[in-house]
Coordinates of all heavy atoms in Angstrom, one line a residue:
M247 N 10.9 -5.6 10.1 CA 9.9 -5.2 9.2 C 10.1 -3.7 8.9 O 10.5 -2.9 9.7 CB 8.5 -5.5 9.7 CG 7.5 -4.9 8.8 SD 5.8 -5.5 8.7 CE 5.7 -7.1 9.4
I248 N 9.7 -3.3 7.7 CA 9.8 -1.9 7.3 C 8.4 -1.4 7.5 O 7.4 -1.7 6.9 CB 10.1 -1.8 5.8 CG1 11.5 -2.4 5.5 CG2 10.1 -0.3 5.3 CD1 11.8 -2.6 4.1
G249 N 8.2 -0.4 8.5 CA 6.9 0.1 8.9 C 6.5 1.4 8.2 O 5.3 1.6 8.0
R250 N 7.5 2.1 7.8 CA 7.2 3.4 7.1 C 8.4 3.9 6.3 O 9.6 3.6 6.7 CB 6.9 4.5 8.2 CG 6.5 5.8 7.7 CD 6.4 6.8 8.8 NE 7.7 7.1 9.3 CZ 7.9 7.7 10.5 NH1 6.9 8.1 11.2 NH2 9.1 7.9 10.9
L251 N 8.2 4.5 5.2 CA 9.2 5.1 4.4 C 8.9 6.6 4.2 O 7.8 6.9 3.9 CB 9.3 4.4 3.0 CG 9.8 3.0 3.0 CD1 9.8 2.5 1.5 CD2 11.3 2.9 3.5
S252 N 10.0 7.4 4.3 CA 9.8 8.8 4.0 C 11.0 9.2 3.1 O 12.1 8.8 3.4 CB 9.9 9.7 5.3 OG 8.8 9.5 6.1
G253 N 10.7 9.9 2.0 CA 11.7 10.3 1.1 C 11.1 11.0 -0.1 O 9.9 11.5 0.0
K254 N 11.8 11.1 -1.1 CA 11.4 11.8 -2.3 C 10.7 10.8 -3.3 O 11.1 9.7 -3.5 CB 12.6 12.4 -3.1 CG 12.2 13.2 -4.3 CD 13.4 13.9 -4.9 CE 14.2 12.9 -5.7 NZ 15.3 13.5 -6.5
L255 N 9.5 11.2 -3.7 CA 8.7 10.4 -4.7 C 9.5 10.5 -6.0 O 9.4 11.5 -6.7 CB 7.3 10.9 -4.8 CG 6.4 10.1 -5.6 CD1 6.3 8.7 -5.1 CD2 5.0 10.7 -5.7
A256 N 10.1 9.4 -6.4 CA 11.0 9.4 -7.6 C 10.2 9.0 -8.8 O 10.5 9.5 -9.9 CB 12.1 8.4 -7.4
A257 N 9.2 8.2 -8.7 CA 8.4 7.8 -9.9 C 7.0 7.3 -9.5 O 6.8 6.8 -8.4 CB 9.1 6.6 -10.6
K258 N 6.1 7.5 -10.4 CA 4.7 7.0 -10.2 C 4.2 6.3 -11.5 O 4.1 7.0 -12.5 CB 3.8 8.2 -10.0 CG 4.0 8.9 -8.7 CD 3.3 10.2 -8.5 CE 1.9 10.4 -8.9 NZ 1.3 11.6 -8.5
H259 N 4.0 5.0 -11.4 CA 3.4 4.3 -12.6 C 2.4 3.3 -12.0 O 2.8 2.3 -11.5 CB 4.6 3.5 -13.3 CG 5.6 4.4 -13.8 ND1 5.5 5.2 -14.9 CD2 6.9 4.7 -13.3 CE1 6.6 5.9 -15.1 NE2 7.5 5.6 -14.2
P260 N 1.1 3.6 -12.0 CA 0.1 2.8 -11.4 C 0.3 1.3 -11.7 O 0.5 1.0 -12.8 CB -1.2 3.3 -11.9 CG -0.9 4.6 -12.6 CD 0.6 4.6 -12.9
P261 N 0.2 0.5 -10.7 CA 0.0 0.7 -9.3 C 1.3 0.9 -8.5 O 1.3 0.7 -7.2 CB -0.8 -0.5 -8.8 CG -0.2 -1.6 -9.6 CD 0.1 -1.0 -11.0
Q262 N 2.4 1.1 -9.1 CA 3.7 1.2 -8.4 C 4.2 2.6 -8.3 O 3.9 3.4 -9.2 CB 4.8 0.3 -9.1 CG 4.6 -1.1 -9.0 CD 5.8 -1.9 -9.4 OE1 6.6 -1.4 -10.3 NE2 6.1 -3.0 -8.8
V263 N 4.9 2.8 -7.2 CA 5.7 4.1 -7.0 C 7.1 3.7 -6.6 O 7.3 2.6 -6.1 CB 5.0 5.0 -5.9 CG1 3.6 5.3 -6.4 CG2 5.0 4.3 -4.6
M264 N 8.0 4.7 -6.7 CA 9.3 4.5 -6.2 C 9.6 5.7 -5.3 O 9.4 6.8 -5.7 CB 10.4 4.4 -7.3 CG 11.8 4.2 -6.8 SD 13.1 4.1 -8.0 CE 12.6 2.6 -8.8
V265 N 10.1 5.4 -4.1 CA 10.4 6.4 -3.1 C 11.9 6.3 -2.9 O 12.5 5.2 -2.6 CB 9.7 6.2 -1.8 CG1 10.1 7.2 -0.8 CG2 8.2 6.2 -2.0
D266 N 12.6 7.4 -3.1 CA 14.1 7.5 -2.9 C 14.3 7.9 -1.4 O 13.9 9.0 -1.0 CB 14.7 8.6 -3.8 CG 16.2 8.6 -3.7 OD1 16.7 8.7 -2.6 OD2 16.8 8.7 -4.8
V267 N 14.9 7.0 -0.7 CA 15.2 7.2 0.7 C 16.7 7.1 0.9 O 17.3 6.0 0.8 CB 14.5 6.2 1.6 CG1 14.8 6.4 3.1 CG2 13.0 6.2 1.4
G268 N 17.3 8.3 1.0 CA 18.8 8.3 1.2 C 19.6 7.7 0.0 O 20.6 7.0 0.3
G269 N 19.1 7.8 -1.2 CA 19.8 7.3 -2.3 C 19.4 5.8 -2.7 O 19.9 5.3 -3.7
V270 N 18.5 5.2 -1.9 CA 18.0 3.9 -2.2 C 16.6 4.0 -2.7 O 15.7 4.6 -2.0 CB 18.1 3.0 -1.0 CG1 17.5 1.6 -1.3 CG2 19.5 2.8 -0.5
G271 N 16.3 3.5 -3.9 CA 14.9 3.5 -4.4 C 14.1 2.3 -4.0 O 14.4 1.2 -4.4
Y272 N 13.0 2.5 -3.3 CA 12.1 1.5 -2.8 C 10.9 1.5 -3.8 O 10.3 2.5 -3.9 CB 11.7 1.7 -1.4 CG 12.8 1.5 -0.4 CD1 13.6 2.6 0.0 CD2 13.0 0.2 0.2 CE1 14.6 2.4 1.0 CE2 14.0 0.1 1.2 CZ 14.8 1.1 1.5 OH 15.8 1.0 2.5
E273 N 10.7 0.3 -4.4 CA 9.5 0.1 -5.2 C 8.4 -0.4 -4.3 O 8.6 -1.4 -3.6 CB 9.8 -0.8 -6.3 CG 10.7 -0.3 -7.4 CD 10.9 -1.3 -8.5 OE1 10.6 -2.5 -8.4 OE2 11.5 -0.8 -9.5
L274 N 7.2 0.3 -4.4 CA 6.1 -0.1 -3.6 C 4.8 -0.3 -4.5 O 4.7 0.5 -5.4 CB 5.8 0.9 -2.5 CG 6.8 1.2 -1.5 CD1 7.6 2.5 -1.9 CD2 6.2 1.4 -0.1
D275 N 4.0 -1.2 -4.2 CA 2.7 -1.3 -4.8 C 1.7 -0.6 -3.9 O 1.7 -0.8 -2.7 CB 2.3 -2.8 -5.0 CG 3.1 -3.5 -6.1 OD1 3.8 -2.8 -6.8 OD2 3.0 -4.7 -6.2
V276 N 0.9 0.2 -4.5 CA -0.1 1.0 -3.7 C -1.5 0.9 -4.3 O -1.6 0.7 -5.5 CB 0.3 2.5 -3.6 CG1 1.7 2.7 -3.0 CG2 0.3 3.2 -5.0
P277 N -2.5 0.9 -3.4 CA -3.9 0.9 -3.9 C -4.1 2.3 -4.7 O -3.4 3.3 -4.4 CB -4.7 0.8 -2.7 CG -3.9 1.3 -1.6 CD -2.5 1.0 -2.0
M278 N -5.0 2.3 -5.6 CA -5.3 3.5 -6.3 C -5.7 4.7 -5.4 O -5.5 5.8 -5.7 CB -6.3 3.2 -7.4 CG -5.8 2.3 -8.5 SD -4.1 2.7 -9.2 CE -4.5 4.2 -10.0
S279 N -6.4 4.3 -4.3 CA -6.8 5.4 -3.4 C -5.6 6.1 -2.8 O -5.6 7.4 -2.7 CB -7.6 4.8 -2.3 OG -6.9 3.7 -1.6
S280 N -4.5 5.4 -2.6 CA -3.3 6.0 -2.1 C -2.6 6.7 -3.3 O -2.0 7.8 -3.1 CB -2.3 5.0 -1.5 OG -2.7 4.6 -0.2
F281 N -2.6 6.1 -4.4 CA -1.9 6.6 -5.6 C -2.4 8.0 -5.9 O -1.7 9.0 -6.2 CB -2.1 5.7 -6.8 CG -1.3 6.1 -8.0 CD1 0.0 5.7 -8.1 CD2 -1.8 6.9 -9.0 CE1 0.8 6.0 -9.2 CE2 -1.1 7.3 -10.1 CZ 0.2 6.9 -10.2
Y282 N -3.8 8.2 -5.9 CA -4.3 9.5 -6.2 C -4.1 10.6 -5.2 O -4.1 11.8 -5.4 CB -5.8 9.4 -6.4 CG -6.2 8.6 -7.7 CD1 -7.1 7.6 -7.6 CD2 -5.6 8.8 -8.9 CE1 -7.4 6.8 -8.7 CE2 -5.9 8.1 -10.0 CZ -6.8 7.1 -10.0 OH -7.1 6.3 -11.1
A283 N -3.7 10.1 -3.9 CA -3.4 11.1 -2.8 C -2.0 11.5 -2.8 O -1.6 12.3 -2.0 CB -3.9 10.5 -1.5
L284 N -1.1 10.9 -3.6 CA 0.3 11.2 -3.6 C 0.6 12.6 -4.2 O -0.1 13.1 -5.1 CB 1.1 10.1 -4.4 CG 1.1 8.7 -3.9 CD1 1.7 7.8 -4.9 CD2 1.8 8.7 -2.5
P285 N 1.7 13.2 -3.7 CA 2.1 14.5 -4.2 C 2.8 14.2 -5.6 O 2.9 13.1 -6.1 CB 3.1 15.0 -3.2 CG 3.7 13.7 -2.6 CD 2.6 12.7 -2.6
A286 N 3.2 15.3 -6.2 CA 3.9 15.2 -7.5 C 5.2 14.6 -7.4 O 5.8 14.6 -6.3 CB 4.0 16.6 -8.1
T287 N 5.7 14.0 -8.5 CA 7.0 13.4 -8.5 C 8.1 14.5 -8.1 O 8.0 15.6 -8.5 CB 7.3 12.9 -9.9 OG1 6.3 11.9 -10.3 CG2 8.7 12.2 -10.0
G288 N 9.0 14.1 -7.3 CA 10.0 15.0 -6.8 C 9.7 15.6 -5.4 O 10.6 16.1 -4.8
E289 N 8.5 15.4 -5.0 CA 8.0 16.0 -3.7 C 8.3 14.9 -2.6 O 8.5 13.7 -2.9 CB 6.6 16.3 -3.7 CG 6.2 17.4 -4.7 CD 6.7 18.8 -4.3 OE1 6.7 19.1 -3.1 OE2 7.2 19.5 -5.2
T290 N 8.3 15.4 -1.4 CA 8.5 14.5 -0.2 C 7.2 13.7 0.1 O 6.2 14.3 0.0 CB 9.0 15.3 1.0 OG1 10.2 16.0 0.7 CG2 9.2 14.4 2.2
V291 N 7.4 12.5 0.4 CA 6.2 11.6 0.7 C 6.6 10.7 1.8 O 7.7 10.3 2.0 CB 5.8 10.8 -0.6 CG1 6.9 9.8 -1.0 CG2 4.5 10.1 -0.4
T292 N 5.5 10.3 2.6 CA 5.7 9.3 3.7 C 4.6 8.3 3.4 O 3.4 8.6 3.2 CB 5.5 9.9 5.1 OG1 6.5 10.9 5.3 CG2 5.5 8.9 6.1
L293 N 5.0 7.0 3.4 CA 4.1 5.9 3.2 C 4.2 4.9 4.3 O 5.4 4.6 4.7 CB 4.3 5.2 1.8 CG 4.0 6.1 0.6 CD1 4.5 5.3 -0.7 CD2 2.5 6.4 0.5
F294 N 3.1 4.4 4.8 CA 3.1 3.3 5.8 C 3.2 2.0 4.9 O 2.6 2.0 3.9 CB 1.9 3.4 6.6 CG 1.8 4.6 7.4 CD1 1.1 5.7 7.0 CD2 2.5 4.7 8.6 CE1 1.1 6.9 7.7 CE2 2.5 5.9 9.4 CZ 1.8 7.0 8.9
T295 N 4.0 1.1 5.4 CA 4.3 -0.1 4.5 C 3.9 -1.4 5.2 O 3.8 -1.5 6.4 CB 5.8 -0.1 4.2 OG1 6.5 -0.2 5.4 CG2 6.2 1.2 3.5
H296 N 3.8 -2.4 4.3 CA 3.6 -3.8 4.7 C 4.5 -4.6 3.7 O 4.3 -4.5 2.5 CB 2.2 -4.2 4.6 CG 2.0 -5.6 5.0 ND1 1.8 -6.0 6.3 CD2 1.9 -6.8 4.3 CE1 1.7 -7.3 6.4 NE2 1.7 -7.8 5.2
L297 N 5.4 -5.4 4.3 CA 6.2 -6.3 3.5 C 5.7 -7.7 3.5 O 5.5 -8.3 4.5 CB 7.7 -6.3 4.1 CG 8.7 -7.1 3.4 CD1 9.0 -6.6 2.0 CD2 10.0 -7.1 4.2
V298 N 5.5 -8.2 2.2 CA 5.1 -9.6 2.1 C 6.3 -10.4 1.6 O 6.9 -10.0 0.5 CB 3.9 -9.7 1.1 CG1 3.6 -11.2 0.8 CG2 2.7 -9.0 1.6
V299 N 6.7 -11.4 2.3 CA 7.9 -12.2 2.0 C 7.4 -13.6 1.5 O 6.7 -14.3 2.3 CB 8.8 -12.3 3.2 CG1 10.0 -13.2 2.8 CG2 9.3 -11.0 3.6
R300 N 7.7 -13.9 0.3 CA 7.3 -15.2 -0.2 C 8.6 -15.9 -0.7 O 9.7 -15.2 -0.8 CB 6.4 -15.1 -1.4 CG 5.0 -14.6 -1.0 CD 4.0 -14.7 -2.2 NE 4.6 -14.9 -3.5 CZ 4.2 -14.3 -4.6 NH1 3.2 -13.4 -4.5 NH2 4.8 -14.5 -5.7
E301 N 8.5 -17.1 -1.0 CA 9.7 -17.9 -1.5 C 10.3 -17.2 -2.7 O 11.6 -17.2 -2.9 CB 9.3 -19.3 -1.7 CG 10.5 -20.2 -2.0 CD 10.0 -21.7 -2.1 OE1 9.4 -22.2 -1.2 OE2 10.3 -22.3 -3.2
D302 N 9.5 -16.7 -3.6 CA 10.0 -16.2 -4.9 C 10.0 -14.7 -5.0 O 10.5 -14.2 -6.0 CB 9.1 -16.8 -6.0 CG 7.7 -16.4 -5.9 OD1 7.2 -16.0 -4.8 OD2 7.0 -16.4 -6.9
A303 N 9.6 -14.0 -3.9 CA 9.6 -12.5 -4.0 C 9.4 -11.9 -2.7 O 8.8 -12.4 -1.8 CB 8.5 -12.1 -5.0
H304 N 9.9 -10.7 -2.5 CA 9.7 -9.8 -1.4 C 8.9 -8.6 -2.0 O 9.5 -7.9 -2.9 CB 10.9 -9.3 -0.7 CG 11.7 -10.4 0.0 ND1 12.8 -10.2 0.8 CD2 11.5 -11.7 0.0 CE1 13.2 -11.3 1.3 NE2 12.5 -12.3 0.8
T305 N 7.7 -8.3 -1.6 CA 6.9 -7.3 -2.2 C 6.5 -6.3 -1.1 O 6.0 -6.7 0.0 CB 5.6 -7.8 -2.8 OG1 6.0 -8.8 -3.8 CG2 4.9 -6.7 -3.6
L306 N 6.8 -5.0 -1.3 CA 6.5 -3.9 -0.4 C 5.3 -3.2 -0.9 O 5.2 -2.8 -2.0 CB 7.7 -3.0 -0.3 CG 7.8 -2.0 0.8 CD1 7.8 -2.7 2.2 CD2 9.1 -1.2 0.7
F307 N 4.3 -3.1 0.0 CA 3.1 -2.4 -0.2 C 3.1 -1.1 0.5 O 3.5 -1.0 1.7 CB 1.9 -3.2 0.1 CG 1.7 -4.5 -0.7 CD1 2.3 -5.6 -0.3 CD2 1.0 -4.4 -1.9 CE1 2.2 -6.8 -1.1 CE2 0.9 -5.6 -2.7 CZ 1.5 -6.7 -2.3
G308 N 2.6 0.0 -0.1 CA 2.6 1.3 0.6 C 1.2 1.9 0.7 O 0.3 1.7 -0.2
F309 N 0.9 2.7 1.8 CA -0.4 3.2 2.0 C -0.2 4.6 2.6 O 0.7 4.9 3.4 CB -1.1 2.4 3.1 CG -1.2 0.9 2.7 CD1 -0.2 0.0 3.1 CD2 -2.2 0.5 1.8 CE1 -0.3 -1.3 2.7 CE2 -2.2 -0.8 1.4 CZ -1.3 -1.7 1.8
V310 N -1.1 5.6 2.2 CA -1.0 6.9 2.7 C -1.4 7.1 4.1 O -0.8 7.9 4.8 CB -1.8 7.9 1.8 CG1 -2.0 9.3 2.3 CG2 -1.3 7.9 0.4
T311 N -2.3 6.2 4.6 CA -2.8 6.3 6.0 C -2.6 5.0 6.7 O -2.5 3.9 6.1 CB -4.3 6.7 6.1 OG1 -5.0 5.6 5.5 CG2 -4.6 8.0 5.3
V312 N -2.5 5.1 8.0 CA -2.4 3.9 8.9 C -3.6 3.1 8.8 O -3.6 1.8 8.7 CB -2.1 4.3 10.3 CG1 -2.2 3.1 11.2 CG2 -0.7 5.0 10.5
E313 N -4.8 3.7 8.7 CA -6.1 3.0 8.6 C -6.1 2.2 7.3 O -6.7 1.1 7.3 CB -7.2 4.1 8.6 CG -7.4 4.8 9.9 CD -6.4 5.9 10.1 OE1 -5.8 6.4 9.1 OE2 -6.2 6.3 11.2
E314 N -5.6 2.7 6.2 CA -5.6 1.9 5.0 C -4.7 0.7 5.1 O -5.1 -0.4 4.7 CB -5.1 2.8 3.8 CG -5.5 2.4 2.5 CD -5.3 3.4 1.4 OE1 -4.2 4.1 1.5 OE2 -6.1 3.5 0.5
R315 N -3.5 0.8 5.8 CA -2.7 -0.3 6.0 C -3.3 -1.3 6.9 O -3.2 -2.5 6.7 CB -1.3 0.1 6.6 CG -0.4 -1.0 6.8 CD 0.9 -0.6 7.4 NE 0.8 -0.1 8.7 CZ 1.8 0.3 9.5 NH1 3.0 0.3 9.0 NH2 1.6 0.8 10.7
T316 N -4.0 -0.9 7.9 CA -4.7 -1.7 8.9 C -5.8 -2.5 8.2 O -5.9 -3.8 8.4 CB -5.3 -0.9 10.0 OG1 -4.2 -0.3 10.7 CG2 -6.1 -1.8 11.0
A317 N -6.5 -1.9 7.3 CA -7.6 -2.6 6.5 C -6.9 -3.6 5.6 O -7.5 -4.8 5.5 CB -8.4 -1.6 5.7
F318 N -5.8 -3.3 5.0 CA -5.1 -4.2 4.1 C -4.7 -5.5 4.9 O -4.9 -6.6 4.5 CB -3.9 -3.5 3.5 CG -3.0 -4.5 2.7 CD1 -3.2 -4.7 1.4 CD2 -1.8 -5.0 3.3 CE1 -2.4 -5.5 0.7 CE2 -1.0 -5.8 2.6 CZ -1.3 -6.1 1.2
R319 N -4.1 -5.2 6.1 CA -3.7 -6.3 7.0 C -4.9 -7.2 7.4 O -4.7 -8.4 7.5 CB -2.9 -5.8 8.2 CG -1.5 -5.3 7.8 CD -0.8 -4.7 8.9 NE 0.6 -4.4 8.6 CZ 1.4 -3.8 9.3 NH1 1.1 -3.3 10.5 NH2 2.7 -3.6 8.9
Q320 N -6.0 -6.6 7.7 CA -7.2 -7.4 8.1 C -7.7 -8.2 6.9 O -8.1 -9.4 7.1 CB -8.3 -6.5 8.6 CG -7.9 -5.9 10.0 CD -8.9 -4.9 10.4 OE1 -9.6 -4.3 9.7 NE2 -8.9 -4.7 11.7
L321 N -7.7 -7.6 5.7 CA -8.1 -8.4 4.5 C -7.3 -9.6 4.2 O -7.8 -10.6 3.9 CB -8.1 -7.4 3.3 CG -9.3 -6.4 3.2 CD1 -9.0 -5.4 2.2 CD2 -10.6 -7.1 3.0
I322 N -5.9 -9.4 4.3 CA -5.1 -10.6 4.0 C -5.1 -11.7 5.0 O -4.6 -12.8 4.7 CB -3.6 -10.2 3.7 CG1 -2.9 -9.5 4.9 CG2 -3.6 -9.2 2.5 CD1 -1.5 -9.2 4.7
R323 N -5.7 -11.4 6.1 CA -5.9 -12.5 7.1 C -7.1 -13.4 6.8 O -7.2 -14.5 7.4 CB -6.1 -11.9 8.5 CG -4.9 -11.3 9.1 CD -5.1 -10.9 10.6 NE -3.9 -10.3 11.1 CZ -3.8 -9.1 11.5 NH1 -4.8 -8.3 11.4 NH2 -2.6 -8.6 12.0
I324 N -7.9 -13.0 5.9 CA -9.1 -13.8 5.5 C -8.6 -14.9 4.5 O -7.9 -14.6 3.5 CB -10.1 -12.9 4.8 CG1 -10.6 -11.8 5.8 CG2 -11.3 -13.7 4.3 CD1 -11.5 -10.7 5.1
S325 N -9.0 -16.1 4.8 CA -8.7 -17.2 3.9 C -9.1 -16.9 2.5 O -10.2 -16.6 2.2 CB -9.3 -18.5 4.4 OG -9.0 -19.6 3.6
G326 N -8.2 -17.1 1.6 CA -8.5 -17.0 0.1 C -8.2 -15.6 -0.4 O -8.3 -15.4 -1.6
I327 N -7.9 -14.6 0.5 CA -7.6 -13.3 0.0 C -6.1 -13.0 0.2 O -5.6 -13.0 1.3 CB -8.4 -12.2 0.8 CG1 -9.9 -12.4 0.5 CG2 -8.0 -10.8 0.4 CD1 -10.8 -11.4 1.1
G328 N -5.5 -12.8 -0.9 CA -4.0 -12.5 -0.9 C -3.8 -11.0 -1.0 O -4.7 -10.2 -1.0
A329 N -2.5 -10.7 -1.0 CA -2.2 -9.3 -1.0 C -2.7 -8.5 -2.3 O -3.2 -7.4 -2.2 CB -0.6 -9.1 -1.0
R330 N -2.6 -9.2 -3.4 CA -3.1 -8.5 -4.7 C -4.6 -8.3 -4.6 O -5.1 -7.2 -5.1 CB -2.8 -9.3 -5.9 CG -1.3 -9.4 -6.1 CD -0.7 -8.2 -6.8 NE 0.7 -8.4 -6.9 CZ 1.6 -7.4 -6.8 NH1 1.2 -6.2 -6.6 NH2 2.9 -7.6 -6.8
T331 N -5.3 -9.2 -4.1 CA -6.8 -9.0 -4.0 C -7.1 -7.9 -3.0 O -8.0 -7.1 -3.3 CB -7.5 -10.4 -3.6 OG1 -7.1 -11.4 -4.6 CG2 -9.0 -10.2 -3.5
A332 N -6.4 -7.9 -1.9 CA -6.7 -6.9 -0.9 C -6.3 -5.5 -1.4 O -7.1 -4.6 -1.2 CB -5.8 -7.2 0.4
L333 N -5.3 -5.4 -2.2 CA -4.9 -4.2 -2.9 C -6.0 -3.7 -3.8 O -6.4 -2.6 -3.9 CB -3.6 -4.3 -3.6 CG -2.8 -3.1 -3.9 CD1 -2.3 -2.4 -2.7 CD2 -1.7 -3.4 -4.9
A334 N -6.6 -4.7 -4.6 CA -7.7 -4.4 -5.5 C -8.9 -3.9 -4.8 O -9.6 -2.9 -5.2 CB -8.0 -5.6 -6.4
V335 N -9.2 -4.5 -3.6 CA -10.4 -4.1 -2.8 C -10.2 -2.7 -2.4 O -11.1 -1.8 -2.5 CB -10.6 -5.0 -1.6 CG1 -11.6 -4.4 -0.6 CG2 -11.1 -6.4 -2.1
L336 N -9.0 -2.3 -1.9 CA -8.7 -1.0 -1.4 C -8.6 0.0 -2.5 O -8.7 1.2 -2.3 CB -7.5 -1.0 -0.5 CG -7.7 -1.7 0.9 CD1 -6.3 -1.7 1.6 CD2 -8.7 -1.0 1.7
S337 N -8.4 -0.5 -3.7 CA -8.4 0.5 -4.9 C -9.8 0.9 -5.2 O -10.0 1.9 -5.8 CB -7.7 -0.2 -6.1 OG -6.3 -0.3 -5.8
G338 N -10.8 0.0 -4.9 CA -12.1 0.3 -5.3 C -13.0 0.9 -4.2 O -14.0 1.5 -4.5
L339 N -12.6 0.7 -3.0 CA -13.4 1.1 -1.8 C -12.5 1.9 -0.8 O -11.3 1.5 -0.6 CB -14.0 0.0 -1.1 CG -15.0 -0.9 -1.8 CD1 -15.3 -2.1 -0.9 CD2 -16.3 -0.1 -2.0
S340 N -13.0 2.9 -0.3 CA -12.2 3.6 0.8 C -12.4 2.7 2.1 O -13.2 1.8 2.1 CB -12.8 5.0 1.1 OG -14.1 4.9 1.7
V341 N -11.6 3.0 3.1 CA -11.6 2.3 4.3 C -13.0 2.4 4.9 O -13.6 1.4 5.4 CB -10.5 2.7 5.3 CG1 -10.7 2.0 6.6 CG2 -9.1 2.4 4.7
A342 N -13.6 3.6 4.9 CA -14.9 3.8 5.4 C -16.0 3.0 4.7 O -16.9 2.4 5.3 CB -15.3 5.3 5.4
E343 N -15.9 3.0 3.3 CA -16.8 2.2 2.5 C -16.7 0.7 2.8 O -17.7 0.0 2.8 CB -16.6 2.5 1.1 CG -17.0 3.9 0.6 CD -16.5 4.3 -0.8 OE1 -15.6 3.7 -1.2 OE2 -17.2 5.2 -1.4
L344 N -15.5 0.3 2.9 CA -15.3 -1.2 3.2 C -15.9 -1.5 4.6 O -16.6 -2.5 4.7 CB -13.8 -1.5 3.2 CG -13.4 -2.9 3.6 CD1 -14.0 -3.9 2.6 CD2 -11.9 -3.0 3.6
A345 N -15.6 -0.7 5.6 CA -16.2 -0.9 6.9 C -17.7 -1.0 6.9 O -18.4 -1.8 7.5 CB -15.7 0.1 7.9
Q346 N -18.3 0.0 6.1 CA -19.8 0.0 6.0 C -20.3 -1.2 5.3 O -21.3 -1.8 5.7 CB -20.2 1.3 5.2 CG -21.7 1.4 5.1 CD -22.1 2.7 4.4 OE1 -21.3 3.3 3.7 NE2 -23.3 3.1 4.6
A347 N -19.6 -1.7 4.2 CA -20.0 -2.9 3.5 C -20.0 -4.1 4.4 O -20.9 -4.9 4.3 CB -19.2 -3.1 2.3
V348 N -19.0 -4.2 5.2 CA -18.8 -5.3 6.1 C -19.9 -5.3 7.2 O -20.5 -6.3 7.5 CB -17.4 -5.4 6.8 CG1 -17.4 -6.4 7.9 CG2 -16.4 -5.7 5.7
A349 N -20.2 -4.1 7.7 CA -21.2 -3.9 8.7 C -22.6 -4.3 8.2 O -23.4 -4.8 9.0 CB -21.2 -2.5 9.3
L350 N -22.9 -4.1 7.0 CA -24.2 -4.3 6.4 C -24.4 -5.8 6.1 O -25.5 -6.2 5.9 CB -24.4 -3.5 5.1 CG -24.5 -2.0 5.3 CD1 -24.6 -1.3 3.9 CD2 -25.7 -1.7 6.1
Q351 N -23.4 -6.6 6.2 CA -23.5 -8.1 5.9 C -23.9 -8.8 7.1 O -23.7 -8.8 8.1 CB -22.2 -8.6 5.3 CG -21.9 -8.0 3.9 CD -23.0 -8.3 2.9 OE1 -23.6 -9.4 2.8 NE2 -23.3 -7.3 2.1

């Protein structure tokens, strides 16, 4: 599994980014909360990752913090919530807001 990528931020096009790691460009989907926390294109970035392998695609998701990745992983364990839905949830709520919303239920 790919747990973390560090390299130069080559491109930013919401919700995707490209990180150049040793000459290889990794495309990652990121929640908007991570997207807004990214440095400028050309700067060094480190993203924690989660790889989703399906029959028709391998999709790499990136997160600025370990907590955000952990919340993503917990969300996709819920029946009926896939990676795209989990990404949308984290785009609208911070990890703290998500934890608070769950605690209130």
